[in-house]
Amino acid sequence: MHKKVLVTGGTGYIGSHTVVELIQKGFSVVIADSLENSDITVLDGIEKITGVRPIFEKIDLSINYPTIELFKKYQGFSAVIHFAAYKAVGESVAEPLKYYRNNLNSLMNILEGMSVTNTPNLVFSSSCTVYGQPEKLPVTEQTPIQEANSPYGNTKQISEEVIRDFIHINEEINAVALRYFNPIGAHDSALIGELPIGIPNNLVPFITQTAAGLRESLSVFGDDYNTLDGSAIRDYIHVVDLAKAHVIAIERLADKINKSRIEYFNLGTGIGISVLECIKSFEKVSGKKLNYKIVGRRPGDIEKIWADTSFANRELNWKAEKTIDDAMLSAWNWEKNIRKIQQ
Ligand code: UFG
């Protein structure tokens, strides 16, 4: 069976964890990444974990010609997992064209490359951001999509529509859009993990960097939400659980057991956890007291969201297995590893 998979953004956070799972399941992987937001040393981590160094192509996928050439060079792939995208919500508000240009051009170039080389299957990184602040929780895949509250979120909504319209006229191509909730944590080996550039925007890397002494204190954005402890609620999913779902999605498409030409799945744990609960979990597993202060709400943040994962559980025969404590411990082990902290 031809099992060569193109993983765009494969040196990034979710991408690198998915490459590990793919290799461990016997897939051969070609990573395409611009290295704009990731580091080539990630390949060393992947190799140490799996014993295999994936093929690597440094490429800006938002440029058409080299992207099509990449597809031709490998005579097509059995599938593409498309992670490569810009993902900073705040930056997307400040520089919308940068986001639309990169995230949409890359997708369109990849779709063209797939059609030119008869590549049949696509797995796309989408986000729970497409639901905005839902009225009813938990969110199912049928929860209405709401107007995006950032250009980043809008690129995810538009991308889902572009894929839908594209497969409509390309009947050999099938797609799965995976709507991630909040991916956190790192590989148990602590050899790969999240590597934010500059000051982290996201909660967990900010927590671990604060504990490691890189940041003075964590700001908790808001304690006046309508939640049990007043802080905002998200559905935090361990990145390794998330990575495994991608392999299942690829196999589902290869086995042609998908129920429609494009399927959407919520990937979360089904459990809502508050910011203050995250801090407690971190303090418990690390044995460290975290320096934090409550500040005002962060503009654009929603109050609460968590997933109804029953469709993904049933259809993919997949379930997030790791807990918030597992995720926090792995994130902390990763942070200690990269900062060379001993204890
Ligand atoms: N938070 C803090 N302090 C921080 C950072 C975050 O209190 O320093 C809080 C936020 O206010 C939020 C929670 O922690 O309540 C999670 O924030 P993140 O920035 O980690 O994640 P978001 O839920 O804001 O964003 C994530 C992804 C986006 C995606 C979005 C969809 O990072 O890519 O989920 O809801 F669009």
Side-chain angles (χ1 to χ4, degrees):
M1 192 174 135
H2 181 52
K3 288 174 77 178
K4 188 174 285 169
V5 177
L6 175 66
V7 181
T8 76
T11 47
Y13 175 43
I14 308 171
S16 58
H17 289 81
T18 301
V19 169
V20 164
E21 298 300 320
L22 284 168
I23 292 172
Q24 289 177 338
K25 284 273 177 169
F27 289 88
S28 73
V29 173
V30 176
I31 293 177
D33 202 298
S34 68
L35 295 179
E36 218 180 311
N37 281 319
S38 61
D39 199 281
I40 192 73
T41 56
V42 169
L43 296 180
D44 301 335
I46 294 171
E47 187 176 1
K48 275 192 196 133
I49 296 167
T50 64
V52 176
R53 196 172 183 86
I55 299 169
F56 178 78
E57 298 277 357
K58 185 173 185 303
I59 179 173
D60 181 345
L61 296 159
S62 70
I63 306 174
N64 183 267
Y65 178 75
T67 305
I68 306 303
E69 288 304 300
L70 174 79
F71 277 86
K72 289 184 181 160
K73 176 175 168 186
Y74 289 95
Q75 306 280 317
F77 299 94
S78 63
V80 178
I81 310 183
H82 181 39
F83 291 104
Y86 293 153
K87 61 169 187 176
V89 177
E91 185 188 50
S92 80
V93 175
E95 296 184 73
L97 295 187
K98 175 175 168 176
Y99 273 68
Y100 287 115
R101 196 173 280 133
N102 183 68
N103 292 5
L104 298 180
N105 282 343
S106 298
L107 173 66
M108 291 187 289
N109 292 337
I110 284 158
L111 293 175
E112 185 182 332
M114 289 179 71
S115 111
V116 168
T117 54
N118 299 317
T119 302
N121 300 325
L122 173 70
V123 175
F124 176 69
S125 293
S126 191
S127 167
C128 69
T129 194
V130 300
Y131 301 117
Q133 174 61 71
E135 277 172 28
K136 263 178 65 189
L137 287 166
V139 281
T140 73
E141 288 78 0
Q142 276 70 51
T143 295
I145 304 276
Q146 293 194 45
E147 193 182 330
N149 56 7
S150 74
Y152 159 76
N154 207 18
T155 67
K156 293 296 177 191
Q157 292 192 6
I158 296 169
S159 293
E160 287 191 357
E161 290 169 2
V162 170
I163 296 167
R164 187 198 59 205
D165 292 346
F166 175 79
I167 62 169
H168 182 68
I169 50 140
N170 286 271
E171 290 182 359
E172 300 307 312
I173 300 180
N174 287 264
V176 168
L178 299 177
R179 293 176 177 160
Y180 311 149
F181 283 69
N182 285 53
I184 61 166
H187 195 264
D188 274 343
S189 63
L191 292 167
I192 54 171
E194 192 167 5
L195 265 181
I197 292 173
I199 301 171
N201 294 307
N202 296 116
L203 178 63
V204 173
F206 209 107
I207 288 177
T208 55
Q209 287 197 8
T210 305
L214 278 81
R215 314 276 154 215
E216 204 179 311
S217 123
L218 169 78
S219 297
V220 173
F221 298 135
D223 68 347
D224 57 351
Y225 286 109
N226 183 22
T227 62
L228 272 179
D229 61 25
S231 64
I233 290 180
R234 298 287 184 275
D235 183 337
Y236 295 94
I237 175 167
H238 196 299
V239 67
V240 172
D241 280 331
L242 191 62
K244 288 182 173 153
H246 291 75
V247 181
I248 295 169
I250 289 281
E251 288 170 339
R252 180 178 176 86
L253 290 169
D255 295 343
K256 301 190 190 304
I257 52 173
N258 48 317
K259 301 260 164 72
S260 57
R261 303 267 325 285
I262 178 164
E263 295 182 306
Y264 308 89
F265 293 103
N266 285 344
L267 296 186
T269 63
I271 301 167
I273 294 181
S274 74
V275 175
L276 292 172
E277 286 174 320
C278 283
I279 294 172
K280 281 198 200 104
S281 164
F282 175 80
E283 290 183 331
K284 184 173 85 181
V285 298
S286 68
K288 286 182 82 84
K289 191 98 201 68
L290 193 76
N291 191 18
Y292 71 89
K293 58 179 187 292
I294 311 284
V295 301
R297 295 180 179 192
R298 184 170 66 178
D301 269 355
I302 59 167
E303 181 168 270
K304 51 188 162 194
I305 188 165
W306 62 93
D308 180 330
T309 61
S310 50
F311 184 61
N313 296 158
R314 190 175 71 241
E315 281 299 319
L316 300 177
N317 197 17
W318 166 92
K319 199 171 185 339
E321 283 164 0
K322 292 174 181 280
T323 64
I324 184 78
D325 288 351
D326 297 333
M328 284 294 180
L329 182 61
S330 66
W332 179 229
N333 285 338
W334 163 246
E335 188 75 51
K336 284 197 293 185
N337 191 21
I338 52 177
R339 308 298 166 200
K340 313 268 178 282
I341 297 171
Q342 297 301 329
Q343 85 289 36

